[in-house]
Amino acid sequence: MTIRKILTEPDKFLRQISKTVLKVTDDERRLMDDMLETMYDANGIGLAAIQVGVPKRILVIDLGKKENKNMPLFFVNPKIIKKNDKLATYEEGCLSVPDQFAEIDRPNKCTVEYLDYNGKKKVLDADGLLATCLQHEMDHLEGILFIDYLSKLKRDYIIKKLTKSKPDRIVV
Ligand code: NI
């Protein structure tokens, strides 16, 4: 497994719409393994392939951190087939928008249809953190970031902060 580089805003690549995976092969499994390793290394709970520069409709999620065990979930071509009208609010961050957080409202429950690690068709009813996380990651597949839900003023402020060049740090 290889830790890959995570792209960060304002990288235009993140705004691409990811492509449907025609077949889950060893290539996709290798990518999913790398994504999981990359996500663990960065202390994230979800990652979309586009964030490591691959425009395929693939996500990895692991919410097992609280229980101190790895519980990886893999989603290929995820599609929301049902979502609740009721909203839930979480303070969201994103590995592609480093150190920025904002409260975002999303449907508190959703049902997702997808292919798993082995290419098998599955349906999952998600609620709580998993529902939010899935919707956040699926937004990445459409080129959408959580900051897009904020006012233009707030979003521009965050992008400006991320764009500001930092001086090189040297250790001699
Ligand atoms: Ni994200």
Side-chain angles (χ1 to χ4, degrees), residues 37-84:
E37 191 74 8
T38 304
M39 184 185 81
Y40 287 151
D41 177 68
N43 275 318
I45 57 171
L47 191 73
I50 190 75
Q51 292 179 273
V52 293
V54 181
K56 288 185 181 181
R57 301 185 83 81
I58 296 179
L59 318 171
V60 297
I61 290 176
D62 191 331
L63 305 181
K65 212 173 167 186
K66 259 194 203 148
E67 293 157 50
N68 257 325
K69 57 182 175 197
N70 290 351
M71 294 158 65
L73 295 169
F74 303 94
F75 299 87
V76 180
N77 300 338
K79 208 169 116 190
I80 292 180
I81 53 172
K82 211 168 83 187
K83 58 184 169 190
N84 230 3

Side-chain angles (χ1 to χ4, degrees), residues 116-135:
D116 69 6
Y117 190 82
N118 296 306
K120 205 174 152 218
K121 198 171 166 181
K122 293 246 172 101
V123 176
L124 175 74
D125 290 316
D127 62 8
L129 181 58
L130 181 58
T132 290
C133 193
L134 265 167
Q135 292 171 74

